[in-house]
Amino acid sequence: MIKVSDLELEPNSQRKILLNVDLEGEKTINWVNEHKHSLSGVLDDNGVVLVRGLKFLTGKHFSQALETIFNEPLLEYMYRSTPRSQLKGQVYTATEYPASETILQHNESSYSNAWAMRIGFLCMLSPSEGGATPLADSREILSKIDKDVREEFEAKQIKYVRNYGDMDLPWSEVFQTTNKAEVEHYCQANQIEFEWKEDNGLRTYQILPATAYHPVTRDKLWFNQAHLFHVSSHSSEVKENMLSIFGEDNLPRNTYFGDGSAIDEAILQHIREVYEQTLFYFDWQKNDLLLVDNMLYSHGRQPFKGPRKVLVGMSNLHTHRAA
Amino acid sequence: MIKVSDLELEPNSQRKILLNVDLEGEKTINWVNEHKHSLSGVLDDNGVVLVRGLKFLTGKHFSQALETIFNEPLLEYMYRSTPRSQLKGQVYTATEYPASETILQHNESSYSNAWAMRIGFLCMLSPSEGGATPLADSREILSKIDKDVREEFEAKQIKYVRNYGDMDLPWSEVFQTTNKAEVEHYCQANQIEFEWKEDNGLRTYQILPATAYHPVTRDKLWFNQAHLFHVSSHSSEVKENMLSIFGEDNLPRNTYFGDGSAIDEAILQHIREVYEQTLFYFDWQKNDLLLVDNMLYSHGRQPFKGPRKVLVGMSNLHTHRAA
């Protein structure tokens, strides 16, 4: 039997996500095995759960625990958008971005036609300051976005444009291969348009819906990364620098409406503000295990000080077409 | 998110089965719907859970709640062994036996080749004294039964003999029909041997294993009703009376080894004592919802005083052959 208690979370104290575990001398993997259905059930109902009180030694133990709870092998992280290191057993480090930067809220891989339904995070090392992984309810985001904005995005969809190169991720890292034919095969299989450029460069396009239905709860969700991929997600100084270096067509990543027209920056700012108002967070403690339904909740990262190590594993691949 | 706390249960204080619910003004059926996966998961992991704090008005609400949690329509209670009344929506009263009698521990329908995996009980009216529904872990029962006894039962299996008539249930109630052809059809479909007797009488035989494997946990379980169907389950006075009235062949119910040989009464007494030593119980409160994995836990009933109303619903049919 699991014990669940409530954590008062800032700034939204209504959320209940904490499950305090007392191992009572039992091994973590045995406890997880005995409670796998309970954990999976709570995750199905609640969309997110923070399990505190387990003891993890290695990424391999984390990987084992996730495969037990998610009831599937973990996914290889293909078609990446951020740098990360792979540990043994399909476990990765969380995005390796500079500590001083915020990573905006996003549903993992929602710029793609296939994504993991389940994500697990493990805190191996909690930073001395900041570094939370904020969460935001995708149903709530949808309901708070202006009706006009939502309708325009739903009607036009979103075009994601990426240029792979030195300033962002090289395509060999994004596609995890140095073989161009393999890249083309992956793009064709995943409805990604591609265009080889001079000097081993690659540009891809993909048009995807702005919203999606959760396959189990049938809830309609805001499910895209327009606000994060758009060049306006950077400070105006960085944005101007990037535009002058690359030119708009060669920006590492950018978003448009599906018909190729520009998205008004004020609209994207409105979306970012809705995320900002909706998110809630907790302070990581070593061995915290966070389980997330990647459609029901987006995640992000706050700036931090001191060393920080959070591992990630994903499973249960799902596609727009399967919905 | 569900809250789970622990109840100190007598006489075995190690069991954790209580889930204390705070509805916070929400309707019971809505709460159940939001937590159905959590409840089902806890039931899968723990085998039994007592949900306290819900508000039920009618048997129909209880039926709805069970169908939500069990994710299946409830079963009609065919091939009964005890008298009970049916309410709307496949919900039944618990066995209507005299208040002064103990109902021995049993896994529901384990005298049959098909049984419900899931049982829900709802307390509509708690008695002023006694009337608990004790629980016993079928794995623990198996482990505590003498090795020789277990091996003999596993090798020989159990023959259940029933004679339907005025002193026990008439066959029309057991099979829920007055049509003999329908009874024959049910028996043929369920590997029950039958024999029509004079004066509209019916005798049936069935040979079934003494143990079974749980289809999900793969645990081996003690899963039979030899100790309850055998004539020695009655006091020696009642037993002698029954034998003199009916004669052994026409006892309302009795058990033998599968080869037809008698089971030593001392062995059956040992089995009853193992149940007695293993069971644990709680005092019913109005609106208590008890969810049980019918293979992992047996249930029974203590004698009571005052009015008592406990409803029962079942689902998820399973058979020996499907194991």
Side-chain angles (χ1 to χ4, degrees), chain A residues 98-133:
Chain A
S100 60
E101 283 183 28
T102 293
I103 299 177
L104 293 176
Q105 292 300 115
H106 60 284
N107 303 87
E108 203 66 40
S109 304
S110 60
Y111 54 80
S112 167
N113 76 332
W115 56 87
M117 289 299 294
R118 293 272 174 266
I119 312 183
F121 297 89
L122 175 67
C123 178
M124 300 284 275
L125 204 56
S126 61
S128 55
E129 205 178 298
T133 296

mmCIF file of all heavy atoms in Angstrom, chain A residues 98-133:
data_model
loop_
_atom_site.group_PDB
_atom_site.id
_atom_site.type_symbol
_atom_site.label_atom_id
_atom_site.label_comp_id
_atom_site.label_asym_id
_atom_site.label_seq_id
_atom_site.Cartn_x
_atom_site.Cartn_y
_atom_site.Cartn_z
ATOM 1 N N PRO A 98 23.203 26.405 -20.302
ATOM 2 C CA PRO A 98 23.878 27.168 -19.245
ATOM 3 C C PRO A 98 22.975 27.367 -18.027
ATOM 4 O O PRO A 98 21.770 27.602 -18.161
ATOM 5 C CB PRO A 98 24.181 28.501 -19.922
ATOM 6 C CG PRO A 98 24.274 28.166 -21.381
ATOM 7 C CD PRO A 98 23.305 27.048 -21.603
ATOM 8 N N ALA A 99 23.575 27.272 -16.843
ATOM 9 C CA ALA A 99 22.822 27.350 -15.585
ATOM 10 C C ALA A 99 22.048 28.650 -15.449
ATOM 11 O O ALA A 99 21.005 28.694 -14.792
ATOM 12 C CB ALA A 99 23.781 27.183 -14.404
ATOM 13 N N SER A 100 22.541 29.711 -16.061
ATOM 14 C CA SER A 100 21.906 31.020 -15.872
ATOM 15 C C SER A 100 20.641 31.178 -16.708
ATOM 16 O O SER A 100 19.893 32.129 -16.524
ATOM 17 C CB SER A 100 22.894 32.119 -16.245
ATOM 18 O OG SER A 100 23.265 31.962 -17.615
ATOM 19 N N GLU A 101 20.398 30.273 -17.644
ATOM 20 C CA GLU A 101 19.253 30.423 -18.536
ATOM 21 C C GLU A 101 18.029 29.640 -18.074
ATOM 22 O O GLU A 101 18.135 28.537 -17.556
ATOM 23 C CB GLU A 101 19.625 29.933 -19.957
ATOM 24 C CG GLU A 101 20.468 30.943 -20.709
ATOM 25 C CD GLU A 101 20.768 30.473 -22.129
ATOM 26 O OE1 GLU A 101 19.960 29.718 -22.701
ATOM 27 O OE2 GLU A 101 21.834 30.847 -22.649
ATOM 28 N N THR A 102 16.882 30.235 -18.331
ATOM 29 C CA THR A 102 15.616 29.529 -18.103
ATOM 30 C C THR A 102 15.324 28.666 -19.328
ATOM 31 O O THR A 102 15.546 29.110 -20.455
ATOM 32 C CB THR A 102 14.480 30.561 -17.941
ATOM 33 O OG1 THR A 102 14.698 31.288 -16.736
ATOM 34 C CG2 THR A 102 13.116 29.880 -17.887
ATOM 35 N N ILE A 103 14.858 27.472 -19.121
ATOM 36 C CA ILE A 103 14.317 26.700 -20.246
ATOM 37 C C ILE A 103 12.798 26.822 -20.157
ATOM 38 O O ILE A 103 12.205 26.478 -19.130
ATOM 39 C CB ILE A 103 14.747 25.220 -20.195
ATOM 40 C CG1 ILE A 103 16.276 25.135 -20.271
ATOM 41 C CG2 ILE A 103 14.098 24.427 -21.325
ATOM 42 C CD1 ILE A 103 16.838 23.729 -20.152
ATOM 43 N N LEU A 104 12.194 27.380 -21.205
ATOM 44 C CA LEU A 104 10.752 27.622 -21.203
ATOM 45 C C LEU A 104 9.977 26.308 -21.106
ATOM 46 O O LEU A 104 10.480 25.247 -21.488
ATOM 47 C CB LEU A 104 10.347 28.376 -22.482
ATOM 48 C CG LEU A 104 10.880 29.802 -22.610
ATOM 49 C CD1 LEU A 104 10.480 30.402 -23.963
ATOM 50 C CD2 LEU A 104 10.376 30.693 -21.474
ATOM 51 N N GLN A 105 8.750 26.414 -20.625
ATOM 52 C CA GLN A 105 7.887 25.230 -20.510
ATOM 53 C C GLN A 105 7.685 24.580 -21.884
ATOM 54 O O GLN A 105 7.505 25.270 -22.886
ATOM 55 C CB GLN A 105 6.505 25.640 -19.990
ATOM 56 C CG GLN A 105 6.464 26.129 -18.562
ATOM 57 C CD GLN A 105 6.939 25.114 -17.560
ATOM 58 O OE1 GLN A 105 7.973 25.332 -16.903
ATOM 59 N NE2 GLN A 105 6.232 24.017 -17.426
ATOM 60 N N HIS A 106 7.681 23.280 -21.903
ATOM 61 C CA HIS A 106 7.405 22.557 -23.147
ATOM 62 C C HIS A 106 6.992 21.122 -22.853
ATOM 63 O O HIS A 106 7.392 20.544 -21.856
ATOM 64 C CB HIS A 106 8.644 22.543 -24.048
ATOM 65 C CG HIS A 106 9.828 21.885 -23.405
ATOM 66 N ND1 HIS A 106 10.598 22.491 -22.436
ATOM 67 C CD2 HIS A 106 10.363 20.650 -23.570
ATOM 68 C CE1 HIS A 106 11.559 21.675 -22.042
ATOM 69 N NE2 HIS A 106 11.436 20.548 -22.706
ATOM 70 N N ASN A 107 6.167 20.567 -23.735
ATOM 71 C CA ASN A 107 5.901 19.135 -23.713
ATOM 72 C C ASN A 107 6.970 18.508 -24.592
ATOM 73 O O ASN A 107 7.157 18.915 -25.733
ATOM 74 C CB ASN A 107 4.508 18.843 -24.268
ATOM 75 C CG ASN A 107 3.430 19.592 -23.514
ATOM 76 O OD1 ASN A 107 3.124 20.735 -23.854
ATOM 77 N ND2 ASN A 107 2.867 18.997 -22.506
ATOM 78 N N GLU A 108 7.658 17.517 -24.063
ATOM 79 C CA GLU A 108 8.798 16.935 -24.767
ATOM 80 C C GLU A 108 8.399 16.467 -26.169
ATOM 81 O O GLU A 108 7.380 15.780 -26.335
ATOM 82 C CB GLU A 108 9.353 15.750 -23.965
ATOM 83 C CG GLU A 108 10.794 15.426 -24.287
ATOM 84 C CD GLU A 108 11.738 16.553 -23.869
ATOM 85 O OE1 GLU A 108 11.546 17.144 -22.788
ATOM 86 O OE2 GLU A 108 12.653 16.880 -24.664
ATOM 87 N N SER A 109 9.221 16.858 -27.173
ATOM 88 C CA SER A 109 9.028 16.417 -28.561
ATOM 89 C C SER A 109 7.703 16.852 -29.178
ATOM 90 O O SER A 109 7.277 16.275 -30.173
ATOM 91 C CB SER A 109 9.161 14.890 -28.694
ATOM 92 O OG SER A 109 10.403 14.469 -28.204
ATOM 93 N N SER A 110 7.060 17.872 -28.637
ATOM 94 C CA SER A 110 5.783 18.298 -29.228
ATOM 95 C C SER A 110 6.001 19.071 -30.524
ATOM 96 O O SER A 110 5.050 19.477 -31.176
ATOM 97 C CB SER A 110 4.957 19.119 -28.235
ATOM 98 O OG SER A 110 5.650 20.274 -27.833
ATOM 99 N N TYR A 111 7.271 19.243 -30.943
ATOM 100 C CA TYR A 111 7.600 19.771 -32.266
ATOM 101 C C TYR A 111 7.715 18.629 -33.278
ATOM 102 O O TYR A 111 8.142 18.823 -34.418
ATOM 103 C CB TYR A 111 8.950 20.539 -32.242
ATOM 104 C CG TYR A 111 10.078 19.698 -31.680
ATOM 105 C CD1 TYR A 111 10.735 18.731 -32.454
ATOM 106 C CD2 TYR A 111 10.449 19.816 -30.348
ATOM 107 C CE1 TYR A 111 11.707 17.925 -31.921
ATOM 108 C CE2 TYR A 111 11.431 19.007 -29.806
ATOM 109 C CZ TYR A 111 12.064 18.076 -30.601
ATOM 110 O OH TYR A 111 13.024 17.263 -30.071
ATOM 111 N N SER A 112 7.330 17.439 -32.858
ATOM 112 C CA SER A 112 7.525 16.241 -33.677
ATOM 113 C C SER A 112 6.193 15.508 -33.815
ATOM 114 O O SER A 112 5.249 15.771 -33.076
ATOM 115 C CB SER A 112 8.566 15.347 -32.990
ATOM 116 O OG SER A 112 8.586 14.070 -33.549
ATOM 117 N N ASN A 113 6.110 14.598 -34.777
ATOM 118 C CA ASN A 113 4.844 13.860 -34.923
ATOM 119 C C ASN A 113 4.787 12.617 -34.042
ATOM 120 O O ASN A 113 3.827 11.852 -34.094
ATOM 121 C CB ASN A 113 4.592 13.505 -36.393
ATOM 122 C CG ASN A 113 5.463 12.349 -36.831
ATOM 123 O OD1 ASN A 113 6.547 12.155 -36.285
ATOM 124 N ND2 ASN A 113 4.999 11.594 -37.799
ATOM 125 N N ALA A 114 5.819 12.423 -33.222
ATOM 126 C CA ALA A 114 5.831 11.287 -32.297
ATOM 127 C C ALA A 114 6.520 11.728 -31.011
ATOM 128 O O ALA A 114 7.510 12.464 -31.055
ATOM 129 C CB ALA A 114 6.575 10.101 -32.910
ATOM 130 N N TRP A 115 5.973 11.328 -29.891
ATOM 131 C CA TRP A 115 6.543 11.754 -28.613
ATOM 132 C C TRP A 115 6.280 10.691 -27.562
ATOM 133 O O TRP A 115 5.402 9.841 -27.717
ATOM 134 C CB TRP A 115 5.926 13.099 -28.163
ATOM 135 C CG TRP A 115 4.443 13.049 -28.075
ATOM 136 C CD1 TRP A 115 3.698 12.652 -26.997
ATOM 137 C CD2 TRP A 115 3.510 13.356 -29.125
ATOM 138 N NE1 TRP A 115 2.367 12.707 -27.314
ATOM 139 C CE2 TRP A 115 2.221 13.139 -28.592
ATOM 140 C CE3 TRP A 115 3.642 13.820 -30.439
ATOM 141 C CZ2 TRP A 115 1.060 13.341 -29.344
ATOM 142 C CZ3 TRP A 115 2.490 14.019 -31.181
ATOM 143 C CH2 TRP A 115 1.219 13.784 -30.641
ATOM 144 N N ALA A 116 7.048 10.768 -26.481
ATOM 145 C CA ALA A 116 6.859 9.849 -25.360
ATOM 146 C C ALA A 116 5.668 10.316 -24.540
ATOM 147 O O ALA A 116 5.526 11.504 -24.271
ATOM 148 C CB ALA A 116 8.108 9.831 -24.488
ATOM 149 N N MET A 117 4.815 9.387 -24.142
ATOM 150 C CA MET A 117 3.689 9.729 -23.256
ATOM 151 C C MET A 117 4.158 9.843 -21.809
ATOM 152 O O MET A 117 3.534 10.480 -20.987
ATOM 153 C CB MET A 117 2.610 8.642 -23.338
ATOM 154 C CG MET A 117 1.844 8.610 -24.637
ATOM 155 S SD MET A 117 0.944 10.152 -24.966
ATOM 156 C CE MET A 117 -0.291 10.137 -23.638
ATOM 157 N N ARG A 118 5.255 9.172 -21.487
ATOM 158 C CA ARG A 118 5.720 9.089 -20.102
ATOM 159 C C ARG A 118 7.150 9.587 -19.992
ATOM 160 O O ARG A 118 8.015 9.168 -20.774
ATOM 161 C CB ARG A 118 5.702 7.625 -19.641
ATOM 162 C CG ARG A 118 4.307 7.028 -19.542
ATOM 163 C CD ARG A 118 3.741 7.306 -18.176
ATOM 164 N NE ARG A 118 2.356 6.886 -18.025
ATOM 165 C CZ ARG A 118 1.321 7.697 -18.229
ATOM 166 N NH1 ARG A 118 1.514 8.950 -18.618
ATOM 167 N NH2 ARG A 118 0.099 7.266 -18.020
ATOM 168 N N ILE A 119 7.391 10.463 -19.019
ATOM 169 C CA ILE A 119 8.755 10.898 -18.736
ATOM 170 C C ILE A 119 9.028 10.703 -17.254
ATOM 171 O O ILE A 119 8.175 10.985 -16.409
ATOM 172 C CB ILE A 119 8.978 12.396 -19.051
ATOM 173 C CG1 ILE A 119 8.433 12.758 -20.435
ATOM 174 C CG2 ILE A 119 10.460 12.741 -18.973
ATOM 175 C CD1 ILE A 119 8.691 14.198 -20.811
ATOM 176 N N GLY A 120 10.231 10.233 -16.956
ATOM 177 C CA GLY A 120 10.670 10.154 -15.567
ATOM 178 C C GLY A 120 11.917 11.004 -15.387
ATOM 179 O O GLY A 120 12.800 11.010 -16.252
ATOM 180 N N PHE A 121 11.966 11.750 -14.302
ATOM 181 C CA PHE A 121 13.142 12.552 -13.951
ATOM 182 C C PHE A 121 13.676 12.059 -12.611
ATOM 183 O O PHE A 121 12.899 11.759 -11.703
ATOM 184 C CB PHE A 121 12.760 14.028 -13.760
ATOM 185 C CG PHE A 121 12.222 14.714 -14.991
ATOM 186 C CD1 PHE A 121 10.864 14.692 -15.276
ATOM 187 C CD2 PHE A 121 13.069 15.410 -15.838
ATOM 188 C CE1 PHE A 121 10.351 15.344 -16.397
ATOM 189 C CE2 PHE A 121 12.566 16.067 -16.960
ATOM 190 C CZ PHE A 121 11.205 16.032 -17.241
ATOM 191 N N LEU A 122 14.992 11.987 -12.501
ATOM 192 C CA LEU A 122 15.590 11.633 -11.215
ATOM 193 C C LEU A 122 16.617 12.687 -10.832
ATOM 194 O O LEU A 122 17.520 13.007 -11.615
ATOM 195 C CB LEU A 122 16.277 10.268 -11.285
ATOM 196 C CG LEU A 122 17.027 9.872 -10.014
ATOM 197 C CD1 LEU A 122 16.061 9.632 -8.849
ATOM 198 C CD2 LEU A 122 17.879 8.636 -10.249
ATOM 199 N N CYS A 123 16.504 13.210 -9.626
ATOM 200 C CA CYS A 123 17.485 14.184 -9.146
ATOM 201 C C CYS A 123 18.639 13.446 -8.496
ATOM 202 O O CYS A 123 18.480 12.805 -7.458
ATOM 203 C CB CYS A 123 16.827 15.135 -8.143
ATOM 204 S SG CYS A 123 18.006 16.321 -7.477
ATOM 205 N N MET A 124 19.823 13.519 -9.139
ATOM 206 C CA MET A 124 21.024 12.881 -8.586
ATOM 207 C C MET A 124 21.783 13.876 -7.711
ATOM 208 O O MET A 124 22.500 13.499 -6.792
ATOM 209 C CB MET A 124 21.947 12.415 -9.717
ATOM 210 C CG MET A 124 21.325 11.395 -10.663
ATOM 211 S SD MET A 124 21.228 9.731 -9.977
ATOM 212 C CE MET A 124 22.890 9.122 -10.375
ATOM 213 N N LEU A 125 21.632 15.160 -8.033
ATOM 214 C CA LEU A 125 22.386 16.212 -7.351
ATOM 215 C C LEU A 125 21.520 17.452 -7.413
ATOM 216 O O LEU A 125 21.174 17.924 -8.505
ATOM 217 C CB LEU A 125 23.693 16.444 -8.136
ATOM 218 C CG LEU A 125 24.897 17.033 -7.456
ATOM 219 C CD1 LEU A 125 25.310 16.209 -6.236
ATOM 220 C CD2 LEU A 125 26.057 17.078 -8.455
ATOM 221 N N SER A 126 21.108 17.978 -6.264
ATOM 222 C CA SER A 126 20.249 19.166 -6.280
ATOM 223 C C SER A 126 21.109 20.412 -6.161
ATOM 224 O O SER A 126 22.060 20.450 -5.386
ATOM 225 C CB SER A 126 19.230 19.092 -5.148
ATOM 226 O OG SER A 126 19.894 19.057 -3.905
ATOM 227 N N PRO A 127 20.798 21.421 -6.952
ATOM 228 C CA PRO A 127 21.627 22.627 -6.963
ATOM 229 C C PRO A 127 21.482 23.402 -5.654
ATOM 230 O O PRO A 127 20.505 23.225 -4.930
ATOM 231 C CB PRO A 127 21.059 23.424 -8.139
ATOM 232 C CG PRO A 127 19.653 22.958 -8.289
ATOM 233 C CD PRO A 127 19.624 21.539 -7.833
ATOM 234 N N SER A 128 22.446 24.259 -5.359
ATOM 235 C CA SER A 128 22.381 25.018 -4.101
ATOM 236 C C SER A 128 21.311 26.083 -4.164
ATOM 237 O O SER A 128 20.782 26.506 -3.142
ATOM 238 C CB SER A 128 23.738 25.638 -3.789
ATOM 239 O OG SER A 128 24.176 26.420 -4.891
ATOM 240 N N GLU A 129 20.951 26.483 -5.374
ATOM 241 C CA GLU A 129 19.937 27.529 -5.526
ATOM 242 C C GLU A 129 19.212 27.351 -6.854
ATOM 243 O O GLU A 129 19.851 27.126 -7.873
ATOM 244 C CB GLU A 129 20.632 28.898 -5.516
ATOM 245 C CG GLU A 129 19.756 30.058 -5.080
ATOM 246 C CD GLU A 129 20.561 31.357 -5.049
ATOM 247 O OE1 GLU A 129 21.533 31.450 -4.267
ATOM 248 O OE2 GLU A 129 20.239 32.248 -5.849
ATOM 249 N N GLY A 130 17.875 27.492 -6.844
ATOM 250 C CA GLY A 130 17.081 27.423 -8.079
ATOM 251 C C GLY A 130 17.120 26.048 -8.717
ATOM 252 O O GLY A 130 17.266 25.040 -8.041
ATOM 253 N N GLY A 131 16.955 26.025 -10.042
ATOM 254 C CA GLY A 131 17.062 24.765 -10.772
ATOM 255 C C GLY A 131 15.835 23.889 -10.708
ATOM 256 O O GLY A 131 15.907 22.691 -11.010
ATOM 257 N N ALA A 132 14.690 24.458 -10.307
ATOM 258 C CA ALA A 132 13.463 23.657 -10.266
ATOM 259 C C ALA A 132 13.053 23.259 -11.678
ATOM 260 O O ALA A 132 13.498 23.842 -12.664
ATOM 261 C CB ALA A 132 12.332 24.441 -9.598
ATOM 262 N N THR A 133 12.229 22.228 -11.757
ATOM 263 C CA THR A 133 11.614 21.784 -12.999
ATOM 264 C C THR A 133 10.139 22.149 -12.895
ATOM 265 O O THR A 133 9.337 21.367 -12.388
ATOM 266 C CB THR A 133 11.800 20.260 -13.169
ATOM 267 O OG1 THR A 133 13.196 19.988 -13.293
ATOM 268 C CG2 THR A 133 11.074 19.732 -14.397
#
